[in-house]
């Protein structure tokens, strides 16, 4: 069915409501999130001034929250690429109302994640040396290249389907929105007016970028894993790390998409477009990925735990029965078993249940990143005792600031651009109509 | 007479006998000993395909009969770490008195080979040398291969191409889409009124700029506010390991100061007009001695003695050859006695006696019963009866030697840990720095422990000096100061020590004090890093008053 | 002058000896050749310096008594805070229950994992095989610390102690003072060796357990001048290297003697 005129107007109204009438709590939430980001900035200034000694890091556990955060935030951005690109390529029509939120989340979280290596650096002012003296043999350089490429590809992937929507903004909001803003819309819309040729070239470009972005995201999470995998530390020295990280990124990413979708659905009243069906589909994907992640964990612990080589033995004792066992079991039960059950059992398979499961997955996946980074360093390779790491106030504040920065950036983005992809919904509806017409044509010769 | 004869016989065989320590004689050589002769040779032709050379040493008795079953040790002179004798290996002599060893030369050119027979069973020791010329190619060390050299070389190019391809595709997509859309863009139609579904007044209060302004402003204010908030605390530089300190985070600024005025400082490293380091600089001075108003400084790293000139510079007075028996390399202990300077040199354990002019008076070869390790003289003192006291830091004791170097007694066994500097007081008691226990101990000449002081104050004591009135001065590299103790062991304060410098950092005039000597009301301190410092002891009158 | 007759005669003998063999003796002294310390070799007229040194170290665990003087000497030489133990003495229990001490300095690996992972090539191997850190370039990412299987690298989390004036020209060979926010490690005191001195830890080892060595001339020596032909010494004493299976080819050898396991297994 083609969208009727009133449906279309309704859709445009809904999609652009955050731009026009963000609601009375909008600024309260923006201010609240900004305070957290501000606090993180203050904490970072202190770290900049006094050195990394203000963190809880020490000579052995020289990576902590920051590296865990980097992996986590870049990881969840894969959820955006996943729901949008994969579902686009597999022609899943239900993705259309979600894709904008997912893509925005992908770009903002990778932006936030990419800041963490800088925060973690002892000498951030020498960042430019990465380009001047870059040594291709280093996983850090791979990360720099891969994350930057991914960031740009993600931005393109966000921008392309946005062009027709920007044109809608341009046409509907008109020059009265303010000179600067209108200019922004006008320029970014590139003179879109929905001709066939424009639609064709846009569809081609979006498909190509969607094809490129999937292996690119795999590459990003693989080289992030190599950051650990190239060392010989027990717990890190693993061949399964790259796919492990990719799957973990997808798992946490889908959970983030569910949370973002739920949040914006509630805040901007998108109930008409985003329904329980969407949550169920996303929940099924999350459940499958969770099962896959559990399988990878099993595979790792099975092979390592069977042989129990000295390093792996100490590591597994630490993780399964030792001091970090409570965290590990918390992850296993709270992050894998419970969410899967919440989605699998029909009684909890509703929007609330699935969102709860996603929240549990997200928290547990963050914990898992911590459990990957810290024990690998805490477990000694020389005859010394285990070294404890506990984050300092500065690290916690910066992490909280980063968590706040993602919804903040998304809210600011949706102040400028439609939250639902008007174009994609129309496109899907048109395709739908075409298919119906063809079916009718075949049925009634 | 026999010594001379032996020297002359061996002269053409052992042309650098002075390099070798005289074999330690456990007992007085009796007349029953048979002199032996050792001849070392390298038959022509390689010993193996690697270009090794066969060394053979023939040991024979005075009467020419070969001595079998004797152990011959081969050495080679190496100058990589100063001149040192590198042990190549040992071989037993066969019935023809010949011991053989394959030398695999590490470099082409000359090799100085030394063969030594240590004596025993009524036989005197003997040694012989050989200058050997080898032209084998240098047998240089090769780094271990890592593996997969070729793939590792090409892999980056492959991945680089991949990255370029991705960037190319992204660029192509952007170009095609942007151009494609713009090609169909409508011509600008002035006055075209867009369809408007929203009322006009809605946007009067917001614009893109204002939208972003709030958080941006917030972040911008964060910078100065954050700086202000954090400028107060933290950021303490870690003082834990200033040189020699063994206690964490300790500054010595709180210790009471002993009244003293820095009168003169002779900087260790001086430069000439062109900015080059003068050859007469003190490289790493360790100790000093006062003779007839002259200040003589031991420069341990170059193995030489310097004099402080009237221009407050150093002048070379004695330059020891680096490997010889008078070598002062790494010597850290020196004292003066009856107008002569005694330096305990660690290389062969000799005590080198010099005149203030730099002339060698004589060399005392110490004869110490073989300990578990070679001994390291860290302090030296000479008493009234010309006996020499040397603190042996390796074996945790102080030994006394006769003027000819034979062993008399040892004291402090069991209660010293790494003894350092030594000093004798007016009563003839011996003061020993016990650096392992952070104390200074006083012994009666007979070896009775009288007092131990400084346990609460000292951190890394190095050397000690005692003036006529019995005041004890201890240089301490941990305190970066000289600690002063009264006659009853009462801690009187420190000289120098940490002072807040111009940039707020703690700094001491004596970053690494070592040798210390006192004469009337002047205290002379050698600092290993900064040079020689002379303090006038203003407290002398006070101490007189106390007494 | 209380000189015994024997000593006078000895002095005379030495003088005679010098006269007879003076020329040969002088020739010997002059012959810096490959063997000369760097300073004297460049001074000597005929110094035919053909190859570089390749520094290494040998540690005799039989002798180490765990006094940690080496650590102290290293820290005071390089002005390091307490937590940075470029040479660290581990207390290890061997399989047979024997307690022993194991000093660990930088292994100066020939295939150093730390060097490969550095994104800006701040860590490099100099021509003498010593792994150095250019602290003017290090960005402080600390991946090298994670990569080092010997945990021999340290990060300046806090402002490092400042030495007195006159030390203000840090260079990779003598990184004093350390730089905040960069990684530091044992430099095998190459600056000292070049000056004809021994590394600070070797000089401080009162048990003479640490040897410094040159792999090209195969000479190893310790503080009190015990000098051996290295390959022979390593063979005869069953020397081993730590974690040999990691293909790092470390340049520090250990001589066991307390019932340690011999090959490079992990210590627990």
């Amino acid at each position: 069915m083609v969208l009727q005129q009133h449906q279309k107007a309704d859709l445009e109204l809904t999609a652009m409501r955050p731009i026009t009438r963000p609601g009375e709590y909008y600024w309260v939430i923006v201010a609240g999130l900004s305070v957290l980001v501000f606090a993180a900035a203050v904490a970072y200034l202190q770290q900049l001034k006094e050195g990394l000694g203000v963190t809880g890091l020490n000579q052995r556990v020289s990576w902590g929250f920051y590296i865990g955060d980097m992996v986590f935030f870049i990881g969840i951005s894969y959820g955006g690429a996943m729901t949008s690109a994969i579902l686009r390529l597999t022609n899943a029509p239900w993705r259309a109302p979600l894709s904008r939120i997912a893509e925005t989340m992908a770009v903002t979280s990778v932006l936030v994640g990419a800041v963490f290596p800088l925060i973690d650096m002892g000498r951030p002012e020498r960042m430019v040396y990465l380009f001047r003296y870059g040594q291709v043999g280093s996983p850090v350089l791979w990360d720099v290249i891969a994350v930057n490429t991914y960031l740009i590809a993600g931005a393109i992937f966000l921008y392309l389907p946005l062009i027709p929507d920007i044109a809608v903004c341009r046409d509907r909001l008109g020059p009265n929105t303010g000179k600067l803003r209108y200019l922004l819309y006008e320029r970014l819309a590139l003179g879109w007016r929905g001709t066939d040729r424009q639609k064709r070239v846009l569809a081609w470009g979006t498909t190509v970028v969607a094809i490129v972005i999937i292996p690119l995201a795999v590459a990003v999470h693989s080289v992030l894993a190599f950051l650990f995998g190239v060392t010989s530390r027990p717990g890190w020295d693993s061949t399964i790390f790259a796919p492990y990280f990719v799957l973990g990124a997808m798992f946490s990413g889908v959970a983030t998409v569910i949370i973002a979708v739920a949040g914006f659905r509630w805040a901007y009243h998108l109930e008409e477009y985003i329904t329980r069906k969407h949550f169920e589909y996303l929940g099924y994907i999350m459940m499958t990925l969770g099962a896959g992640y559990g399988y990878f964990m099993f595979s790792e612990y099975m092979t390592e735990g069977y042989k129990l080589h000295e390093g792996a033995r100490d590591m597994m004792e630490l993780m399964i029965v030792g001091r970090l066992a409570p965290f590990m079991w918390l992850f296993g039960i709270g992050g894998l078993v419970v969410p899967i059950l919440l989605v699998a059992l029909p009684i909890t398979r509703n929007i609330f249940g699935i969102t709860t499961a996603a929240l549990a997955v997200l928290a547990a996946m963050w914990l898992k990143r911590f459990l990957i980074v810290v024990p690998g360093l805490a477990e000694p390779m020389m005859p010394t005792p285990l070294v404890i790491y506990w984050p300092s106030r500065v690290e916690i504040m910066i992490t909280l600031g980063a968590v706040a920065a993602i919804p903040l950036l998304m809210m600011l983005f949706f102040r400028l651009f439609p939250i639902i992809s008007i174009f994609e919904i129309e496109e899907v509806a048109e395709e739908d109509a075409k298919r119906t017409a063809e079916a009718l044509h075949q049925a009634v010769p | 007479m026999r010594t001379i004869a032996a020297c002359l016989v061996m002269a053409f065989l052992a042309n650098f006998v002075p390099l070798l320590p005289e074999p330690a004689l456990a007992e007085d050589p009796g007349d029953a000993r048979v002199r032996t002769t050792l001849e070392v040779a390298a038959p022509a032709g390689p010993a193996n395909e690697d270009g090794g050379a066969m060394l053979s040493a023939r040991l024979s008795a005075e009467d020419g009969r070969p001595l079998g079953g004797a152990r011959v040790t081969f050495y080679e002179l190496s100058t990589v770490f100063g001149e040192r004798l590198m042990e190549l290996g040992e071989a037993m002599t066969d019935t023809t008195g010949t011991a053989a060893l394959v030398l695999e030369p590490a470099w082409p050119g000359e090799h100085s080979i030394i063969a030594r027979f240590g004596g025993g069973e009524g036989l005197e020791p003997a040694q012989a040398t050989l200058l050997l010329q080898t032209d084998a190619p240098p047998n240089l060390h090769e780094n271990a291969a890592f593996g997969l050299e070729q793939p590792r070389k090409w892999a980056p190019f492959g991945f680089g191409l991949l990255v370029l391809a991705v960037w190319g595709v992204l660029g192509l997509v952007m170009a095609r889409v942007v151009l494609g859309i713009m090609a169909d863009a409508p011509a600008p139609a002035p006055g075209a009124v867009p369809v408007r579904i929203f009322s006009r007044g809605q946007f009067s209060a917001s614009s893109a700029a204002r939208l972003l302004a709030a958080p941006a402003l917030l972040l911008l204010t964060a910078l100065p506010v954050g700086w202000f908030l954090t400028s107060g605390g933290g950021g303490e530089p870690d003082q834990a390991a200033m040189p020699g300190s063994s206690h964490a985070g300790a500054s010595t600024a709180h210790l009471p100061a002993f009244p003293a005025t820095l009168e003169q400082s002779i900087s260790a490293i001086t430069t000439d007009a062109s900015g080059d380091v003068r050859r007469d600089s003190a490289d790493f001075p360790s100790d000093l001695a006062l003779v007839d108003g002259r200040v003589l400084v031991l420069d341990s790293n170059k193995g030489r003695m310097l004099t402080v000139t009237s221009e407050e510079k150093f002048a070379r007075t004695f330059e020891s050859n680096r490997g010889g028996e008078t070598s002062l390399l790494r010597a850290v202990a020196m004292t003066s006695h009856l107008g002569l300077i005694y330096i305990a040199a660690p290389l062969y354990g000799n005590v080198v006696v010099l005149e203030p002019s730099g002339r060698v008076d004589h060399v005392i070869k110490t004869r110490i019963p073989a300990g578990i390790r070679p001994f390291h003289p860290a302090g030296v003192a000479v008493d009234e009866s010309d006996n020499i006291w040397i603190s042996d830091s390796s074996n945790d004791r102080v030994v006394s030697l006769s003027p000819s170097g034979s062993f008399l007694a040892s004291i402090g066994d069991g209660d010293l840990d790494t003894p350092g500097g030594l000093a004798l007081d007016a009563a003839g008691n011996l003061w020993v720095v016990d650096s392992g226990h952070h104390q200074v101990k006083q012994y009666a000449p007979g070896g009775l422990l009288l007092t131990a002081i400084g346990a609460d104050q000292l951190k890394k004591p190095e050397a000690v000096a005692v003036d006529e009135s019995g005041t004890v001065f201890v240089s301490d590299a941990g305190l970066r100061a000289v600690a002063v103790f009264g006659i009853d062991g009462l801690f009187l304060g420190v000289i120098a020590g940490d002072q807040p410098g111009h940039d707020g950092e703690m700094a001491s005039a004596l970053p690494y004090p070592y040798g210390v000597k006192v004469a009337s009301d002047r205290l002379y301190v050698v600092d290993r890093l900064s040079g020689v410092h002379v303090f006038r002891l203003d407290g002398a009158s006070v101490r007189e008053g106390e007494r | 002058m209380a000189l015994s007759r024997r000593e006078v005669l000895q002095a005379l003998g030495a003088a005679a000896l010098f006269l007879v063999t003076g020329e040969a003796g002088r020739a010997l002294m002059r012959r810096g050749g490959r063997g000369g310390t760097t300073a004297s070799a460049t001074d000597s007229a005929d110094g035919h310096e053909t190859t570089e040194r390749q520094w290494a170290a040998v540690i005799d665990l039989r002798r180490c008594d765990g006094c940690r003087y080496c650590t102290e000497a290293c820290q005071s030489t390089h002005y390091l805070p307490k937590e940075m133990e470029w040479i660290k003495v581990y207390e290890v229990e061997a399989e047979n229950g024997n307690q022993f001490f194991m000093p660990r300095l930088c292994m100066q690996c020939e295939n150093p994992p730390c060097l490969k992972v550095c994104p800006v090539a701040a860590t490099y191997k100099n021509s003498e095989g010593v792994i150095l850190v250019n602290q003017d370039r290090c960005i402080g990412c600390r991946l090298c610390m994670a990569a080092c299987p010997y945990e021999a690298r340290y990060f300046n989390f806090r402002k490092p102690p400042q030495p007195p004036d006159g030390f203000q020209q840090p260079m990779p060979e003598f990184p004093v003072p350390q730089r905040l926010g960069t990684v530091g490690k044992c430099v095998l005191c190459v600056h000292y060796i070049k000056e004809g001195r021994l590394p600070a830890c070797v000089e401080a080892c009162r048990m003479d357990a640490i040897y410094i060595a040159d792999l090209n001339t195969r000479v190893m020596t310790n503080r009190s001048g015990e000098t051996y032909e290295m390959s022979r010494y390593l063979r005869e004493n069953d020397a081993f290297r730590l974690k040999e299976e990691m293909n790092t080819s470390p340049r520090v050898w250990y001589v066991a003697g307390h019932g340690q396991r011999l090959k490079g297994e992990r210590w627990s």
Side-chain angles (χ1 to χ4, degrees), chain A residues 138-424:
Chain A
S138 169
V140 173
L141 205 76
W142 306 343
D143 277 344
V144 170
I145 294 170
V147 170
N148 281 317
T149 311
Y150 178 59
L151 182 59
I152 286 171
I156 293 174
F157 192 55
L158 173 66
Y159 173 61
L160 292 187
L162 196 59
I163 293 174
D165 288 12
I166 296 173
V168 172
C169 288
R170 177 196 61 192
D171 297 342
R172 293 289 181 267
L173 302 179
N176 292 330
T177 55
K179 253 190 198 133
L180 263 175
R181 193 165 173 162
Y182 187 68
L183 196 71
L184 183 79
Y185 288 147
E186 210 175 23
R187 287 288 144 83
L188 288 180
L190 301 172
W192 175 273
R193 54 187 180 124
T195 64
D196 278 351
R197 189 174 150 193
Q198 283 179 331
K199 279 184 177 168
R200 215 170 43 242
V201 75
L202 187 69
W204 171 82
T206 317
T207 309
V208 173
V209 179
I211 293 171
V212 170
I213 208 163
I214 291 168
L216 199 54
V218 171
V220 169
H221 299 293
S222 300
V223 293
L224 273 180
F226 292 156
L227 206 56
F228 306 93
V230 297
T231 70
S232 14
R233 302 204 71 91
W236 288 3
D237 179 13
S238 162
T239 51
I240 206 175
F241 248 41
Y244 204 177
F245 268 52
V246 172
L247 204 68
M250 283 158 69
F251 185 38
S252 58
V254 173
T256 318
V257 170
I258 292 176
I259 291 163
V261 166
F264 285 105
R265 176 179 181 270
W266 166 78
Y268 292 138
H269 306 291
L270 311 176
E271 286 88 353
E272 190 186 336
Y273 300 96
I274 302 172
T275 60
R276 182 173 159 170
K277 172 188 75 181
H278 295 102
F279 282 90
E280 277 179 13
Y281 289 167
L282 286 173
Y284 291 148
I285 296 177
M286 186 174 79
M287 186 177 76
T288 317
L289 291 170
Y293 197 77
Y295 163 67
F296 271 35
M297 271 179 73
F298 167 76
S299 170
E300 189 195 18
Y301 283 142
M302 179 65 211
T303 48
E304 298 268 336
Y306 192 85
K307 294 166 293 200
L308 283 184
H309 287 169
E310 209 171 340
R313 179 195 66 196
D314 297 347
M315 193 70 193
M316 287 185 69
E317 273 178 357
L318 178 70
M319 303 287 268
I320 292 174
V321 290
R323 278 161 83 173
L324 293 176
F327 297 104
M328 197 64 198
W329 286 107
L330 183 66
F331 166 77
I333 293 167
L336 289 179
V337 177
V338 170
I340 288 176
L341 283 181
L342 280 177
V343 178
L345 296 177
I347 192 164
T348 51
R349 199 193 302 144
N350 49 40
I351 294 177
F352 180 75
I354 291 171
T355 310
T356 312
L359 276 169
V361 166
L362 201 63
M365 279 310 286
W366 187 90
L367 183 67
K368 184 75 193 350
R369 300 311 188 198
F370 183 80
L371 288 176
I372 287 173
V373 174
V374 172
L377 289 165
E379 183 64 43
M381 288 185 81
M382 294 297 280
T384 43
L386 192 77
V387 171
I388 308 158
Y389 159 80
W390 196 246
S392 72
R393 187 180 49 88
V394 171
E395 287 168 283
I396 293 172
M397 272 164 77
I398 290 180
T399 303
L400 282 180
V403 171
I406 292 176
L408 179 66
L409 286 173
M410 287 176 77
M411 285 172 76
L412 294 177
F413 185 81
F414 293 139
R415 270 297 275 167
L416 278 176
F417 302 107
I419 190 167
I420 288 179
S421 182
I422 304 164
F423 174 69
E424 274 185 72

Side-chain angles (χ1 to χ4, degrees), chain C residues 149-166:
Chain C
Y150 307 99
E151 292 171 354
R153 301 179 72 102
Y154 292 87
F155 185 73
N156 287 288
F157 282 107
R158 296 189 175 276
K159 204 174 165 197
Q162 296 297 307
D165 290 345

Side-chain angles (χ1 to χ4, degrees), chain A residues 2-12 172, chain B residues 195:
Chain A
V2 186
L3 290 184
Q4 300 298 312
Q5 192 62 41
H6 71 92
Q7 282 176 316
K8 205 169 162 180
D10 203 37
L11 169 65
E12 287 175 2
R172 293 289 181 267
Chain B
V195 185

Side-chain angles (χ1 to χ4, degrees), chain C residues 13 44 62-63 76 86 97 105 121-122 124 128 132 143 147 172 178 182 187-188 190 196 216 219 257 259:
Chain C
S44 68
R62 298 170 297 195
R63 290 182 175 180
S76 56
W86 287 1
L105 29 73
Y124 65 100
E128 297 174 338
L132 300 172
L143 180 56
Q178 286 282 296
T182 62
V187 292
L188 211 62
V190 269
N216 272 350
V219 50

Side-chain angles (χ1 to χ4, degrees), chain B residues 132-176:
Chain B
L132 187 68
Q133 192 79 28
T134 62
D135 49 4
N139 189 0
L140 295 182
H141 173 78
E142 268 177 38
N143 278 354
F146 188 54
L148 285 182
E149 316 304 351
Q150 285 303 319
R152 283 199 301 128
K153 200 154 105 196
W154 294 109
F157 293 98
F159 288 116
L161 280 177
L162 210 62
V163 171
L164 282 182
V166 170
W167 281 87
V169 168
L170 291 177
L172 183 76
V173 167
M174 271 314 271
R176 239 193 105 183

